[in-house]
Amino acid sequence: MSTDAHNPIASGTCVPAPTPSSVTAIVPARNEEPVIAACITSLAGQPEIYEILVVNDQSTDATASVVRNLMEKIPNLRLLESGELPDGWVGKNHALWVGVQQAKSAWLLFTDADAEHLQDSVSLALQTAEQQHASLLSYSPEQMTVTWYEKALIPYIYLRLAKRFSYEKVNDPNSPAAAANGQFLMIRRDVYDAIGGHSAVAGEVLEDVALAMRAKAAGHRISFGSGKGLVRVRMYRSFPEMWQGWEKNLYRLMGGTPWAVFRELESNLPWIPVLLIVLGLKYPILLFLGVLLLIARQMGYGLDLVRNQYPFSFIFYYVPAVALYVAVLWASYRSHVHGRIEWKGREYSVRAPESAR
């Protein structure tokens, strides 16, 4: 499945043998032509990375050509082909599994093609894993936002995730909470094999969280933290892509049950301020109170933004953020209950929760 004929390693270039602390970076790539070069270049600048394996997942653009051109300059870069997608597998999971079969290092780094790894990120990750005796380490990358809808929805969702998956609880070995972010997920190879790897979570759309849950349930320590200054990502470059991405993931991230969706809707929609504003059309004092309450909620959001290292100026996107969040959460719920989701030109069958059947 590899294209070693284009690889300098296969042509006789001398590459040092992996060490016990070396890392294999594995990048699943499906139609990633605009971003794959920046990701690979950033990985190539990390001395601890012994090899970079890009797994081309049936791309229809020039992703493979971009990688082959980079292979002429980066001797530890290899291009693999994922082959046909087996039944029951999510494409990303299968691509990562294919890459792992070729990996030679003691540590595996799973990362997305749109991730840019800043200087010494892998070195610091290894140091943190050693200090915390962690077998799985993950960072939540710094999110790059350009358009108004990115600035509205993405920080809002990540603030909700921060409340649901706090670093403190995830990193506490006595807590059952487990989480990881697949944009930067590093795991010891022996632990990966012991918990079944991606074959054990083949059909999971949240494979990163599923791997973290399996690792922690097996007694392995997790380290999860902010990736600010270490890795950054611009997740989506169009509104339809952003919508489809969160429609795929948000329902599961927020609990995966209709009751969890109801709680999220109830706690995020500003019911009381809106009701007071509507009633204020007849009673002006209620309009004044409704506006004050809405401003108070907006200020609370601004404080949350600052605590989570987002610009305070994003407070002005509060109203569209709430509207987008509620709408895409509902869409995600509907897709999962109906048992079908779409992502990158593929449609996957997902099992509806028993309570929704």
Side-chain angles (χ1 to χ4, degrees), residues 50-343:
Y50 170 73
E51 57 185 349
I52 305 167
L53 306 181
V54 177
V55 185
N56 182 33
D57 185 14
Q58 298 182 306
S59 297
T60 56
D61 64 2
T63 294
S65 296
V66 172
V67 177
R68 290 190 187 101
N69 289 336
L70 288 171
M71 288 164 65
E72 298 175 2
K73 307 172 185 177
I74 303 173
N76 62 339
L77 172 63
R78 295 174 60 196
L79 176 64
L80 310 175
E81 297 293 336
S82 68
E84 292 295 322
L85 182 63
D87 290 341
W89 283 79
V90 171
K92 178 181 179 180
N93 300 348
H94 181 245
L96 291 170
W97 176 256
V98 168
V100 170
Q101 307 317 303
Q102 301 291 322
K104 300 180 178 68
S105 301
W107 284 91
L108 305 171
L109 170 60
F110 303 124
T111 186
D112 289 351
D114 53 7
E116 182 182 355
H117 299 262
L118 306 183
Q119 185 176 5
D120 297 328
S121 62
V122 175
S123 172
L124 291 170
L126 287 169
Q127 291 177 30
T128 301
E130 182 178 4
Q131 292 166 0
Q132 299 184 6
H133 306 288
S135 300
L136 184 154
L137 180 141
S138 183
Y139 291 131
S140 183
E142 179 181 351
Q143 298 297 323
M144 310 290 288
T145 55
V146 177
T147 62
W148 72 266
Y149 51 81
E150 292 172 274
K151 293 176 181 178
L153 184 59
I154 290 176
Y156 194 92
I157 287 179
Y158 271 91
L159 293 190
R160 297 305 302 167
L161 292 175
K163 294 180 185 298
R164 180 170 175 79
F165 301 106
S166 74
Y167 298 143
E168 182 180 2
K169 288 183 179 178
V170 171
N171 295 337
D172 181 359
N174 298 316
S175 168
N181 189 312
Q183 295 163 333
F184 190 112
L185 194 162
M186 198 171 72
I187 185 170
R188 275 185 12 218
R189 174 62 185 270
D190 59 335
V191 172
Y192 176 89
D193 291 337
I195 64 174
H198 285 92
S199 66
V201 297
E204 294 282 350
V205 293
L206 291 177
E207 86 296 335
D208 43 10
V209 176
L211 283 174
M213 291 177 65
R214 292 182 68 86
K216 197 165 191 180
H220 301 288
R221 191 149 190 175
I222 292 176
S223 175
F224 188 36
S226 170
K228 188 174 179 63
L230 297 171
V231 57
R232 59 192 176 200
V233 172
R234 185 183 177 194
M235 294 179 67
Y236 307 113
R237 284 167 167 74
S238 71
F239 186 88
E241 184 183 3
M242 182 185 75
W243 183 272
Q244 193 177 71
W246 289 118
E247 184 179 7
K248 172 174 69 77
N249 290 334
L250 196 55
Y251 176 65
R252 298 289 188 187
L253 283 169
M254 292 304 164
T257 67
W259 177 242
V261 171
F262 173 79
R263 289 200 310 268
E264 276 295 298
L265 294 176
E266 188 276 331
S267 63
N268 284 273
L269 280 172
W271 299 103
I272 295 177
V274 170
L275 179 61
L276 290 174
I277 289 170
V278 171
L279 293 175
L281 298 177
K282 187 173 181 180
Y283 305 102
I285 186 64
L286 296 182
L287 175 62
F288 177 70
L289 289 175
V291 170
L292 280 183
L293 286 176
L294 191 60
I295 291 173
R297 288 183 68 119
Q298 189 172 16
M299 289 302 297
Y301 178 59
L303 295 176
D304 277 346
L305 285 168
V306 172
R307 278 193 292 266
N308 287 271
Q309 301 179 316
Y310 287 103
F312 182 76
S313 60
F314 284 11
I315 191 176
F316 297 108
Y317 297 98
Y318 172 69
V319 172
V322 171
L324 285 172
Y325 178 74
V326 167
V328 77
L329 176 59
W330 181 254
S332 183
Y333 161 70
R334 297 292 297 169
S335 293
H336 280 81
V337 167
H338 290 151
R340 308 297 297 179
I341 60 169
E342 293 184 13
W343 181 240

